Amino acid sequence: MPDVSSASFIPRKVTGPQEAAEVLAAEGAAIVTGLADEEKAVAMGRAIMGDRAVRCGTQFEATKESARVEGMQMKAQPADSRGRKRDASGSAEERMVAHNDGFAFGDYAPDHLFLWCERPAAGGGDSFLIDTSRLLDLLAADPGTATLADFCRTVDIDHSEPNYPQHCFSPIVRRTPSGRFQGRHHPYLAPVEGPLEQEHWTYVRAWQDAVVAARDSGPMFRVGPGEMMCIDNYRVLHGRDGYSDPLRKVCSIWGWSQDAVAVPDGPLDIVVPRIPMAS
C-alpha cells in the first residue's frame, strides 16, 4: 500500500458564499465561519450552490442521543441473504467509517453536504476528510495498487445497504452524467453476486483498506461553534473521531444541485430508506 496520507486534508476557512463555492469546486471542501443559527446555515448552503440549487435543507441533527437511537433501530433489523447486517458505523465513542452522506439512497444521495456545528464536543469529535480523487491517483501511480485503481474505475459493484437494494450496479469511481467525479465508500460495499464475486471481494476490501489508511494517517481538525463544513459529497468522504459529550450538536444539511444524478421528490428516511421518484 502506498503512502495515502496526503489524500486526507484540512479544508480552508472562508467567509462568504462566492469564496466558498470557488474553494469547494477546486479543493472539494471549505469551512464557512460566522453562522449564528441553523436557518443562516441552510441559507448559506443554498447560496453556495447558487443558481444551480434545486433543494437544500436539514436532514438530521447529529447528537450522541440520535446516534444511540439510530443504532438501536438498525440493530433490530435482520441480516440479509449474504449475512450482512446494518449498523450505525459504531457508537459515538468510536471513530466513524469514512463515508459519503446518503449512501443508502444511491443516485438520490445529495451532491452537496453542509455540516453546521452549533456546539462542538468538549473533547474529541474532531473531523477528517478524504479526497477520493486524490486517493485514486495515489493508488494508480503505485505499481502495487494500479490494478486496484483500475478495478475502482471499471468494475460494477453493489452499493446497497443490507436489505435495501438499489437495483442497479456501478463502479466505485465514475463520472456522473453532468461530468462530476464521484468516488464512494461506506461500510456495506460488496461485489455483484455471481461467479466473480470472490475475486472481486479482494479489490473491494483493498479499497476499504486504502480508505482506512488515509483516514488514520491523515490530519484531523476541529470545527468550532458557528462554523460549517461545505463538502462535495460526490468527491470527498468525511467522518469524525469519537466523543462522549452529550451536548455536542451538528446539523447535517443536504443539498441537491442541477448537477446531482437524481433529486428525490420527498423526504428521505435515514434509518429506513425508501426509493423515491425523481423530480
Side-chain angles (χ1 to χ4, degrees), residues 116-184:
W116 175 68
C117 179
E118 179 176 324
R119 186 189 185 281
D126 291 2
S127 296
F128 61 83
L129 297 175
I130 301 171
D131 183 346
T132 57
S133 177
R134 172 64 177 158
L135 179 56
L136 189 75
D137 287 345
L138 292 169
L139 295 174
D142 188 287
T145 52
T147 55
L148 169 59
D150 185 63
F151 176 90
C152 291
R153 293 191 190 100
T154 61
V155 178
D156 287 350
I157 71 161
D158 185 354
H159 294 267
S160 300
E161 285 198 62
N163 292 316
Y164 295 89
Q166 294 173 15
H167 304 295
C168 62
F169 306 124
S170 57
I172 291 170
V173 171
R174 65 178 181 178
R175 287 285 173 182
T176 69
S178 67
R180 292 268 295 277
F181 176 94
Q182 186 176 32
R184 289 173 285 181

Short mmCIF file of all heavy atoms in Angstrom, two decimals, residues 116-184:
data_model
loop_
_atom_site.label_atom_id
_atom_site.label_comp_id
_atom_site.label_asym_id
_atom_site.label_seq_id
_atom_site.Cartn_x
_atom_site.Cartn_y
_atom_site.Cartn_z
N TRP A 116 -23.16 21.93 9.81
CA TRP A 116 -23.08 23.14 10.64
C TRP A 116 -22.97 22.75 12.11
O TRP A 116 -23.76 21.96 12.62
CB TRP A 116 -24.33 24.00 10.44
CG TRP A 116 -24.35 25.19 11.36
CD1 TRP A 116 -23.52 26.27 11.32
CD2 TRP A 116 -25.24 25.41 12.46
NE1 TRP A 116 -23.82 27.15 12.33
CE2 TRP A 116 -24.88 26.64 13.05
CE3 TRP A 116 -26.29 24.68 13.02
CZ2 TRP A 116 -25.54 27.17 14.16
CZ3 TRP A 116 -26.95 25.19 14.12
CH2 TRP A 116 -26.57 26.42 14.67
N CYS A 117 -21.96 23.30 12.78
CA CYS A 117 -21.69 22.99 14.17
C CYS A 117 -22.32 24.05 15.08
O CYS A 117 -21.90 25.21 15.05
CB CYS A 117 -20.18 22.92 14.42
SG CYS A 117 -19.73 22.56 16.13
N GLU A 118 -23.31 23.63 15.83
CA GLU A 118 -23.89 24.52 16.84
C GLU A 118 -23.07 24.49 18.12
O GLU A 118 -22.78 25.53 18.72
CB GLU A 118 -25.33 24.12 17.15
CG GLU A 118 -25.99 24.99 18.22
CD GLU A 118 -27.43 24.66 18.45
OE1 GLU A 118 -28.13 24.32 17.46
OE2 GLU A 118 -27.89 24.74 19.60
N ARG A 119 -22.67 23.27 18.50
CA ARG A 119 -21.85 23.11 19.70
C ARG A 119 -20.92 21.93 19.52
O ARG A 119 -21.37 20.79 19.39
CB ARG A 119 -22.74 22.88 20.93
CG ARG A 119 -21.95 22.86 22.25
CD ARG A 119 -22.83 22.42 23.40
NE ARG A 119 -22.14 22.51 24.67
CZ ARG A 119 -21.26 21.61 25.14
NH1 ARG A 119 -20.94 20.57 24.38
NH2 ARG A 119 -20.69 21.76 26.31
N PRO A 120 -19.59 22.16 19.51
CA PRO A 120 -18.66 21.03 19.41
C PRO A 120 -18.60 20.28 20.74
O PRO A 120 -19.00 20.79 21.79
CB PRO A 120 -17.32 21.70 19.11
CG PRO A 120 -17.44 23.07 19.71
CD PRO A 120 -18.89 23.46 19.57
N ALA A 121 -18.10 19.06 20.69
CA ALA A 121 -17.88 18.29 21.91
C ALA A 121 -16.79 18.96 22.74
O ALA A 121 -15.86 19.57 22.20
CB ALA A 121 -17.49 16.86 21.57
N ALA A 122 -16.92 18.85 24.06
CA ALA A 122 -15.90 19.42 24.94
C ALA A 122 -14.54 18.77 24.69
O ALA A 122 -13.49 19.40 24.83
CB ALA A 122 -16.32 19.26 26.39
N GLY A 123 -14.56 17.51 24.31
CA GLY A 123 -13.34 16.80 23.97
C GLY A 123 -13.65 15.73 22.94
O GLY A 123 -14.72 15.11 22.98
N GLY A 124 -12.76 15.53 21.97
CA GLY A 124 -13.00 14.56 20.91
C GLY A 124 -13.92 15.13 19.85
O GLY A 124 -14.25 16.31 19.84
N GLY A 125 -14.36 14.24 18.94
CA GLY A 125 -15.26 14.66 17.88
C GLY A 125 -14.59 15.40 16.74
O GLY A 125 -15.27 15.99 15.90
N ASP A 126 -13.24 15.40 16.70
CA ASP A 126 -12.55 16.07 15.60
C ASP A 126 -12.88 15.38 14.28
O ASP A 126 -13.21 14.20 14.24
CB ASP A 126 -11.04 16.05 15.82
CG ASP A 126 -10.61 16.93 16.99
OD1 ASP A 126 -11.49 17.53 17.63
OD2 ASP A 126 -9.40 17.01 17.25
N SER A 127 -12.79 16.14 13.19
CA SER A 127 -13.23 15.67 11.87
C SER A 127 -12.07 15.26 10.98
O SER A 127 -10.92 15.66 11.20
CB SER A 127 -14.04 16.76 11.17
OG SER A 127 -15.22 17.06 11.88
N PHE A 128 -12.39 14.47 9.94
CA PHE A 128 -11.43 14.17 8.89
C PHE A 128 -12.15 14.22 7.55
O PHE A 128 -13.37 14.03 7.45
CB PHE A 128 -10.79 12.78 9.09
CG PHE A 128 -11.76 11.63 9.07
CD1 PHE A 128 -12.17 11.07 7.85
CD2 PHE A 128 -12.25 11.09 10.23
CE1 PHE A 128 -13.07 10.01 7.82
CE2 PHE A 128 -13.16 10.02 10.21
CZ PHE A 128 -13.56 9.48 9.01
N LEU A 129 -11.40 14.50 6.49
CA LEU A 129 -11.88 14.49 5.11
C LEU A 129 -10.91 13.72 4.25
O LEU A 129 -9.69 13.80 4.44
CB LEU A 129 -12.01 15.92 4.58
CG LEU A 129 -13.01 16.86 5.26
CD1 LEU A 129 -12.90 18.26 4.67
CD2 LEU A 129 -14.43 16.34 5.12
N ILE A 130 -11.43 12.98 3.27
CA ILE A 130 -10.60 12.22 2.34
C ILE A 130 -11.04 12.53 0.92
O ILE A 130 -12.21 12.33 0.57
CB ILE A 130 -10.71 10.70 2.59
CG1 ILE A 130 -10.27 10.36 4.02
CG2 ILE A 130 -9.86 9.93 1.57
CD1 ILE A 130 -10.56 8.91 4.41
N ASP A 131 -10.13 13.02 0.11
CA ASP A 131 -10.40 13.31 -1.29
C ASP A 131 -10.23 12.01 -2.08
O ASP A 131 -9.11 11.54 -2.28
CB ASP A 131 -9.43 14.39 -1.78
CG ASP A 131 -9.67 14.81 -3.21
OD1 ASP A 131 -10.41 14.12 -3.94
OD2 ASP A 131 -9.11 15.86 -3.61
N THR A 132 -11.34 11.43 -2.54
CA THR A 132 -11.25 10.15 -3.24
C THR A 132 -10.56 10.29 -4.60
O THR A 132 -9.96 9.33 -5.09
CB THR A 132 -12.63 9.52 -3.44
OG1 THR A 132 -13.48 10.44 -4.14
CG2 THR A 132 -13.26 9.16 -2.10
N SER A 133 -10.61 11.46 -5.20
CA SER A 133 -9.90 11.68 -6.46
C SER A 133 -8.39 11.59 -6.24
O SER A 133 -7.66 10.95 -7.00
CB SER A 133 -10.28 13.04 -7.04
OG SER A 133 -9.56 13.31 -8.22
N ARG A 134 -7.92 12.25 -5.19
CA ARG A 134 -6.51 12.20 -4.85
C ARG A 134 -6.10 10.78 -4.44
O ARG A 134 -5.04 10.29 -4.85
CB ARG A 134 -6.22 13.18 -3.70
CG ARG A 134 -4.82 13.10 -3.09
CD ARG A 134 -3.75 13.49 -4.07
NE ARG A 134 -2.43 13.47 -3.45
CZ ARG A 134 -1.29 13.36 -4.13
NH1 ARG A 134 -1.30 13.26 -5.46
NH2 ARG A 134 -0.15 13.36 -3.50
N LEU A 135 -6.95 10.11 -3.68
CA LEU A 135 -6.64 8.75 -3.25
C LEU A 135 -6.51 7.82 -4.45
O LEU A 135 -5.58 7.00 -4.53
CB LEU A 135 -7.73 8.25 -2.30
CG LEU A 135 -7.59 6.83 -1.76
CD1 LEU A 135 -6.27 6.62 -1.05
CD2 LEU A 135 -8.75 6.50 -0.83
N LEU A 136 -7.40 7.95 -5.41
CA LEU A 136 -7.33 7.09 -6.60
C LEU A 136 -6.05 7.35 -7.38
O LEU A 136 -5.41 6.42 -7.87
CB LEU A 136 -8.55 7.33 -7.48
CG LEU A 136 -8.69 6.35 -8.65
CD1 LEU A 136 -9.17 5.00 -8.15
CD2 LEU A 136 -9.64 6.89 -9.70
N ASP A 137 -5.66 8.62 -7.50
CA ASP A 137 -4.42 8.95 -8.20
C ASP A 137 -3.21 8.32 -7.52
O ASP A 137 -2.29 7.82 -8.20
CB ASP A 137 -4.23 10.47 -8.26
CG ASP A 137 -5.17 11.14 -9.24
OD1 ASP A 137 -5.77 10.45 -10.08
OD2 ASP A 137 -5.31 12.38 -9.17
N LEU A 138 -3.18 8.34 -6.19
CA LEU A 138 -2.07 7.73 -5.45
C LEU A 138 -2.02 6.22 -5.68
O LEU A 138 -0.95 5.64 -5.86
CB LEU A 138 -2.22 8.03 -3.96
CG LEU A 138 -2.02 9.49 -3.54
CD1 LEU A 138 -2.46 9.70 -2.10
CD2 LEU A 138 -0.56 9.92 -3.71
N LEU A 139 -3.19 5.59 -5.70
CA LEU A 139 -3.23 4.14 -5.94
C LEU A 139 -2.82 3.81 -7.37
O LEU A 139 -2.10 2.84 -7.61
CB LEU A 139 -4.64 3.62 -5.67
CG LEU A 139 -5.14 3.73 -4.22
CD1 LEU A 139 -6.61 3.32 -4.14
CD2 LEU A 139 -4.30 2.89 -3.27
N ALA A 140 -3.25 4.63 -8.33
CA ALA A 140 -2.93 4.38 -9.73
C ALA A 140 -1.45 4.55 -10.02
O ALA A 140 -0.90 3.88 -10.91
CB ALA A 140 -3.75 5.31 -10.61
N ALA A 141 -0.78 5.44 -9.28
CA ALA A 141 0.63 5.74 -9.54
C ALA A 141 1.57 4.68 -8.97
O ALA A 141 2.75 4.63 -9.34
CB ALA A 141 0.99 7.10 -8.96
N ASP A 142 1.07 3.82 -8.09
CA ASP A 142 1.90 2.80 -7.46
C ASP A 142 1.69 1.47 -8.18
O ASP A 142 0.55 1.01 -8.30
CB ASP A 142 1.53 2.66 -5.98
CG ASP A 142 2.49 1.77 -5.23
OD1 ASP A 142 2.44 0.54 -5.43
OD2 ASP A 142 3.29 2.29 -4.43
N PRO A 143 2.77 0.83 -8.66
CA PRO A 143 2.60 -0.45 -9.38
C PRO A 143 1.87 -1.51 -8.57
O PRO A 143 1.18 -2.36 -9.13
CB PRO A 143 4.04 -0.87 -9.69
CG PRO A 143 4.83 0.40 -9.67
CD PRO A 143 4.18 1.26 -8.64
N GLY A 144 2.02 -1.46 -7.25
CA GLY A 144 1.39 -2.47 -6.42
C GLY A 144 -0.11 -2.32 -6.27
O GLY A 144 -0.80 -3.27 -5.88
N THR A 145 -0.62 -1.14 -6.58
CA THR A 145 -2.06 -0.90 -6.41
C THR A 145 -2.72 -0.36 -7.68
O THR A 145 -3.88 0.02 -7.66
CB THR A 145 -2.32 0.09 -5.25
OG1 THR A 145 -1.51 1.27 -5.45
CG2 THR A 145 -1.99 -0.54 -3.90
N ALA A 146 -1.99 -0.35 -8.78
CA ALA A 146 -2.56 0.17 -10.04
C ALA A 146 -3.76 -0.66 -10.48
O ALA A 146 -4.74 -0.12 -11.02
CB ALA A 146 -1.49 0.19 -11.14
N THR A 147 -3.73 -1.97 -10.26
CA THR A 147 -4.87 -2.81 -10.65
C THR A 147 -6.09 -2.51 -9.78
O THR A 147 -7.23 -2.62 -10.25
CB THR A 147 -4.53 -4.30 -10.57
OG1 THR A 147 -4.04 -4.61 -9.25
CG2 THR A 147 -3.46 -4.67 -11.59
N LEU A 148 -5.85 -2.13 -8.53
CA LEU A 148 -6.96 -1.73 -7.66
C LEU A 148 -7.61 -0.46 -8.20
O LEU A 148 -8.85 -0.37 -8.26
CB LEU A 148 -6.45 -1.50 -6.23
CG LEU A 148 -7.44 -0.84 -5.26
CD1 LEU A 148 -8.71 -1.67 -5.12
CD2 LEU A 148 -6.77 -0.63 -3.90
N ALA A 149 -6.81 0.51 -8.60
CA ALA A 149 -7.36 1.75 -9.16
C ALA A 149 -8.17 1.45 -10.41
O ALA A 149 -9.25 2.03 -10.62
CB ALA A 149 -6.24 2.74 -9.47
N ASP A 150 -7.67 0.54 -11.25
CA ASP A 150 -8.39 0.18 -12.47
C ASP A 150 -9.71 -0.50 -12.13
O ASP A 150 -10.74 -0.23 -12.76
CB ASP A 150 -7.52 -0.74 -13.32
CG ASP A 150 -8.16 -1.05 -14.66
OD1 ASP A 150 -8.36 -0.11 -15.46
OD2 ASP A 150 -8.48 -2.23 -14.91
N PHE A 151 -9.70 -1.37 -11.13
CA PHE A 151 -10.94 -2.02 -10.69
C PHE A 151 -11.95 -0.98 -10.24
O PHE A 151 -13.13 -1.04 -10.60
CB PHE A 151 -10.64 -2.99 -9.56
CG PHE A 151 -11.87 -3.64 -8.97
CD1 PHE A 151 -12.34 -4.84 -9.47
CD2 PHE A 151 -12.55 -3.05 -7.90
CE1 PHE A 151 -13.48 -5.44 -8.93
CE2 PHE A 151 -13.68 -3.64 -7.37
CZ PHE A 151 -14.15 -4.84 -7.87
N CYS A 152 -11.50 -0.03 -9.44
CA CYS A 152 -12.40 1.00 -8.93
C CYS A 152 -13.06 1.79 -10.05
O CYS A 152 -14.22 2.21 -9.93
CB CYS A 152 -11.64 1.96 -8.00
SG CYS A 152 -11.11 1.24 -6.43
N ARG A 153 -12.35 1.98 -11.14
CA ARG A 153 -12.88 2.77 -12.26
C ARG A 153 -13.80 1.97 -13.18
O ARG A 153 -14.68 2.55 -13.83
CB ARG A 153 -11.72 3.31 -13.11
CG ARG A 153 -10.84 4.35 -12.47
CD ARG A 153 -9.95 4.96 -13.54
NE ARG A 153 -8.90 5.81 -13.00
CZ ARG A 153 -7.63 5.45 -12.83
NH1 ARG A 153 -7.25 4.22 -13.17
NH2 ARG A 153 -6.76 6.30 -12.33
N THR A 154 -13.59 0.66 -13.27
CA THR A 154 -14.20 -0.07 -14.39
C THR A 154 -15.17 -1.18 -14.02
O THR A 154 -15.95 -1.61 -14.88
CB THR A 154 -13.09 -0.69 -15.27
OG1 THR A 154 -12.32 -1.62 -14.47
CG2 THR A 154 -12.15 0.37 -15.83
N VAL A 155 -15.14 -1.68 -12.80
CA VAL A 155 -15.93 -2.86 -12.46
C VAL A 155 -17.14 -2.45 -11.62
O VAL A 155 -17.01 -1.81 -10.58
CB VAL A 155 -15.09 -3.90 -11.71
CG1 VAL A 155 -15.95 -5.11 -11.33
CG2 VAL A 155 -13.91 -4.35 -12.56
N ASP A 156 -18.32 -2.85 -12.06
CA ASP A 156 -19.55 -2.57 -11.32
C ASP A 156 -19.56 -3.35 -10.01
O ASP A 156 -19.21 -4.54 -9.98
CB ASP A 156 -20.78 -2.98 -12.13
CG ASP A 156 -21.07 -2.02 -13.28
OD1 ASP A 156 -20.42 -0.95 -13.34
OD2 ASP A 156 -21.92 -2.36 -14.11
N ILE A 157 -20.00 -2.69 -8.93
CA ILE A 157 -20.21 -3.37 -7.66
C ILE A 157 -21.59 -2.99 -7.11
O ILE A 157 -22.29 -2.15 -7.69
CB ILE A 157 -19.11 -3.04 -6.63
CG1 ILE A 157 -19.24 -1.59 -6.13
CG2 ILE A 157 -17.72 -3.29 -7.18
CD1 ILE A 157 -18.52 -1.35 -4.82
N ASP A 158 -21.94 -3.58 -5.99
CA ASP A 158 -23.21 -3.33 -5.34
C ASP A 158 -23.00 -2.29 -4.23
O ASP A 158 -22.26 -2.54 -3.28
CB ASP A 158 -23.75 -4.64 -4.75
CG ASP A 158 -25.14 -4.49 -4.14
OD1 ASP A 158 -25.64 -3.36 -4.05
OD2 ASP A 158 -25.70 -5.53 -3.72
N HIS A 159 -23.64 -1.13 -4.36
CA HIS A 159 -23.50 -0.05 -3.37
C HIS A 159 -24.64 -0.05 -2.35
O HIS A 159 -24.74 0.88 -1.55
CB HIS A 159 -23.46 1.30 -4.09
CG HIS A 159 -22.25 1.49 -4.94
ND1 HIS A 159 -21.10 2.10 -4.49
CD2 HIS A 159 -21.99 1.12 -6.22
CE1 HIS A 159 -20.19 2.13 -5.45
NE2 HIS A 159 -20.71 1.53 -6.52
N SER A 160 -25.49 -1.07 -2.36
CA SER A 160 -26.65 -1.11 -1.48
C SER A 160 -26.25 -1.35 -0.03
O SER A 160 -25.20 -1.93 0.27
CB SER A 160 -27.60 -2.23 -1.89
OG SER A 160 -28.08 -2.05 -3.20
N GLU A 161 -27.15 -0.95 0.88
CA GLU A 161 -27.08 -1.41 2.26
C GLU A 161 -27.80 -2.75 2.36
O GLU A 161 -28.65 -3.08 1.53
CB GLU A 161 -27.77 -0.40 3.18
CG GLU A 161 -26.96 0.86 3.44
CD GLU A 161 -27.47 1.59 4.67
OE1 GLU A 161 -27.41 1.01 5.77
OE2 GLU A 161 -27.93 2.73 4.52
N PRO A 162 -27.48 -3.54 3.40
CA PRO A 162 -28.18 -4.82 3.58
C PRO A 162 -29.70 -4.62 3.65
O PRO A 162 -30.20 -3.76 4.39
CB PRO A 162 -27.64 -5.32 4.93
CG PRO A 162 -26.28 -4.70 5.02
CD PRO A 162 -26.41 -3.35 4.38
N ASN A 163 -30.41 -5.43 2.86
CA ASN A 163 -31.87 -5.45 2.81
C ASN A 163 -32.50 -4.21 2.15
O ASN A 163 -33.72 -4.09 2.12
CB ASN A 163 -32.48 -5.64 4.21
CG ASN A 163 -32.19 -7.02 4.76
OD1 ASN A 163 -32.31 -8.01 4.05
ND2 ASN A 163 -31.80 -7.08 6.02
N TYR A 164 -31.70 -3.32 1.60
CA TYR A 164 -32.23 -2.14 0.92
C TYR A 164 -31.57 -2.02 -0.45
O TYR A 164 -30.75 -1.14 -0.68
CB TYR A 164 -32.02 -0.87 1.76
CG TYR A 164 -32.80 -0.93 3.05
CD1 TYR A 164 -32.24 -1.49 4.19
CD2 TYR A 164 -34.11 -0.47 3.10
CE1 TYR A 164 -32.97 -1.57 5.36
CE2 TYR A 164 -34.84 -0.54 4.27
CZ TYR A 164 -34.26 -1.10 5.40
OH TYR A 164 -34.99 -1.19 6.55
N PRO A 165 -31.89 -2.94 -1.37
CA PRO A 165 -31.22 -2.96 -2.68
C PRO A 165 -31.51 -1.71 -3.49
O PRO A 165 -32.60 -1.13 -3.40
CB PRO A 165 -31.82 -4.20 -3.35
CG PRO A 165 -33.14 -4.39 -2.69
CD PRO A 165 -32.93 -3.98 -1.26
N GLN A 166 -30.51 -1.28 -4.26
CA GLN A 166 -30.68 -0.12 -5.14
C GLN A 166 -31.05 -0.53 -6.56
O GLN A 166 -31.32 0.31 -7.39
CB GLN A 166 -29.40 0.73 -5.12
CG GLN A 166 -29.13 1.36 -3.76
CD GLN A 166 -27.79 2.06 -3.69
OE1 GLN A 166 -27.15 2.33 -4.70
NE2 GLN A 166 -27.36 2.36 -2.48
N HIS A 167 -31.02 -1.83 -6.84
CA HIS A 167 -31.49 -2.38 -8.12
C HIS A 167 -30.63 -1.96 -9.32
O HIS A 167 -31.06 -2.07 -10.45
CB HIS A 167 -32.95 -2.02 -8.36
CG HIS A 167 -33.86 -2.45 -7.25
ND1 HIS A 167 -34.08 -3.77 -6.94
CD2 HIS A 167 -34.58 -1.71 -6.36
CE1 HIS A 167 -34.91 -3.85 -5.91
NE2 HIS A 167 -35.22 -2.63 -5.54
N CYS A 168 -29.43 -1.46 -9.06
CA CYS A 168 -28.50 -1.15 -10.16
C CYS A 168 -27.09 -1.19 -9.60
O CYS A 168 -26.89 -1.02 -8.39
CB CYS A 168 -28.81 0.21 -10.79
SG CYS A 168 -28.66 1.60 -9.66
N PHE A 169 -26.14 -1.42 -10.47
CA PHE A 169 -24.74 -1.54 -10.06
C PHE A 169 -23.91 -0.52 -10.82
O PHE A 169 -24.25 -0.12 -11.94
CB PHE A 169 -24.22 -2.96 -10.35
CG PHE A 169 -25.07 -4.05 -9.74
CD1 PHE A 169 -25.61 -5.05 -10.54
CD2 PHE A 169 -25.34 -4.05 -8.38
CE1 PHE A 169 -26.38 -6.06 -9.99
CE2 PHE A 169 -26.12 -5.06 -7.83
CZ PHE A 169 -26.64 -6.06 -8.62
N SER A 170 -22.78 -0.12 -10.23
CA SER A 170 -21.89 0.85 -10.87
C SER A 170 -20.52 0.76 -10.21
O SER A 170 -20.39 0.23 -9.10
CB SER A 170 -22.45 2.27 -10.77
OG SER A 170 -22.68 2.62 -9.42
N PRO A 171 -19.47 1.29 -10.85
CA PRO A 171 -18.13 1.23 -10.26
C PRO A 171 -18.01 2.08 -8.99
O PRO A 171 -18.84 2.95 -8.72
CB PRO A 171 -17.23 1.78 -11.37
CG PRO A 171 -18.01 1.62 -12.63
CD PRO A 171 -19.44 1.82 -12.23
N ILE A 172 -16.97 1.84 -8.23
CA ILE A 172 -16.67 2.65 -7.05
C ILE A 172 -16.42 4.09 -7.45
O ILE A 172 -16.84 5.04 -6.78
CB ILE A 172 -15.46 2.06 -6.30
CG1 ILE A 172 -15.85 0.71 -5.66
CG2 ILE A 172 -14.93 3.03 -5.24
CD1 ILE A 172 -14.68 -0.07 -5.10
N VAL A 173 -15.74 4.28 -8.57
CA VAL A 173 -15.41 5.61 -9.09
C VAL A 173 -16.03 5.76 -10.46
O VAL A 173 -15.96 4.84 -11.28
CB VAL A 173 -13.88 5.80 -9.17
CG1 VAL A 173 -13.53 7.08 -9.91
CG2 VAL A 173 -13.27 5.82 -7.77
N ARG A 174 -16.66 6.90 -10.72
CA ARG A 174 -17.28 7.11 -12.02
C ARG A 174 -17.40 8.60 -12.32
O ARG A 174 -17.18 9.44 -11.44
CB ARG A 174 -18.67 6.48 -12.07
CG ARG A 174 -19.68 7.13 -11.12
CD ARG A 174 -21.05 6.52 -11.23
NE ARG A 174 -22.01 7.16 -10.34
CZ ARG A 174 -23.30 6.85 -10.26
NH1 ARG A 174 -23.79 5.88 -11.03
NH2 ARG A 174 -24.10 7.48 -9.42
N ARG A 175 -17.74 8.91 -13.54
CA ARG A 175 -18.14 10.26 -13.93
C ARG A 175 -19.66 10.29 -14.02
O ARG A 175 -20.27 9.43 -14.65
CB ARG A 175 -17.52 10.66 -15.27
CG ARG A 175 -16.04 10.94 -15.21
CD ARG A 175 -15.75 12.27 -14.56
NE ARG A 175 -14.31 12.47 -14.35
CZ ARG A 175 -13.79 13.55 -13.76
NH1 ARG A 175 -14.59 14.51 -13.33
NH2 ARG A 175 -12.49 13.66 -13.60
N THR A 176 -20.27 11.25 -13.39
CA THR A 176 -21.73 11.36 -13.42
C THR A 176 -22.15 11.93 -14.77
O THR A 176 -21.32 12.44 -15.54
CB THR A 176 -22.22 12.27 -12.30
OG1 THR A 176 -21.82 13.62 -12.58
CG2 THR A 176 -21.67 11.84 -10.95
N PRO A 177 -23.45 11.88 -15.11
CA PRO A 177 -23.90 12.44 -16.38
C PRO A 177 -23.53 13.91 -16.58
O PRO A 177 -23.32 14.35 -17.72
CB PRO A 177 -25.42 12.27 -16.32
CG PRO A 177 -25.60 11.04 -15.49
CD PRO A 177 -24.53 11.13 -14.43
N SER A 178 -23.39 14.68 -15.49
CA SER A 178 -23.01 16.09 -15.61
C SER A 178 -21.50 16.28 -15.69
O SER A 178 -21.03 17.41 -15.82
CB SER A 178 -23.56 16.89 -14.43
OG SER A 178 -22.92 16.50 -13.23
N GLY A 179 -20.74 15.18 -15.59
CA GLY A 179 -19.29 15.26 -15.67
C GLY A 179 -18.58 15.33 -14.34
O GLY A 179 -17.35 15.41 -14.30
N ARG A 180 -19.32 15.27 -13.24
CA ARG A 180 -18.71 15.33 -11.92
C ARG A 180 -17.99 14.02 -11.60
O ARG A 180 -18.44 12.93 -11.95
CB ARG A 180 -19.79 15.56 -10.85
CG ARG A 180 -20.47 16.92 -10.88
CD ARG A 180 -19.80 17.91 -9.99
NE ARG A 180 -19.91 17.55 -8.59
CZ ARG A 180 -20.97 17.81 -7.81
NH1 ARG A 180 -22.04 18.42 -8.33
NH2 ARG A 180 -20.96 17.48 -6.54
N PHE A 181 -16.86 14.14 -10.91
CA PHE A 181 -16.16 12.96 -10.38
C PHE A 181 -16.94 12.45 -9.17
O PHE A 181 -17.37 13.24 -8.33
CB PHE A 181 -14.74 13.33 -9.98
CG PHE A 181 -13.97 12.20 -9.33
CD1 PHE A 181 -13.16 11.38 -10.09
CD2 PHE A 181 -14.07 11.97 -7.96
CE1 PHE A 181 -12.45 10.34 -9.50
CE2 PHE A 181 -13.38 10.93 -7.36
CZ PHE A 181 -12.56 10.11 -8.14
N GLN A 182 -17.10 11.14 -9.08
CA GLN A 182 -17.75 10.55 -7.92
C GLN A 182 -16.97 9.33 -7.46
O GLN A 182 -16.77 8.37 -8.22
CB GLN A 182 -19.19 10.15 -8.22
CG GLN A 182 -19.96 9.67 -6.99
CD GLN A 182 -21.42 9.39 -7.28
OE1 GLN A 182 -21.78 8.97 -8.37
NE2 GLN A 182 -22.27 9.60 -6.29
N GLY A 183 -16.50 9.37 -6.21
CA GLY A 183 -15.83 8.23 -5.60
C GLY A 183 -16.54 7.90 -4.30
O GLY A 183 -16.77 8.78 -3.47
N ARG A 184 -16.89 6.63 -4.10
CA ARG A 184 -17.77 6.28 -2.98
C ARG A 184 -17.16 5.26 -2.03
O ARG A 184 -16.38 4.39 -2.42
CB ARG A 184 -19.10 5.74 -3.54
CG ARG A 184 -19.94 6.83 -4.17
CD ARG A 184 -21.17 6.28 -4.85
NE ARG A 184 -20.86 5.63 -6.12
CZ ARG A 184 -21.77 5.09 -6.91
NH1 ARG A 184 -23.03 5.09 -6.55
NH2 ARG A 184 -21.41 4.54 -8.06
#
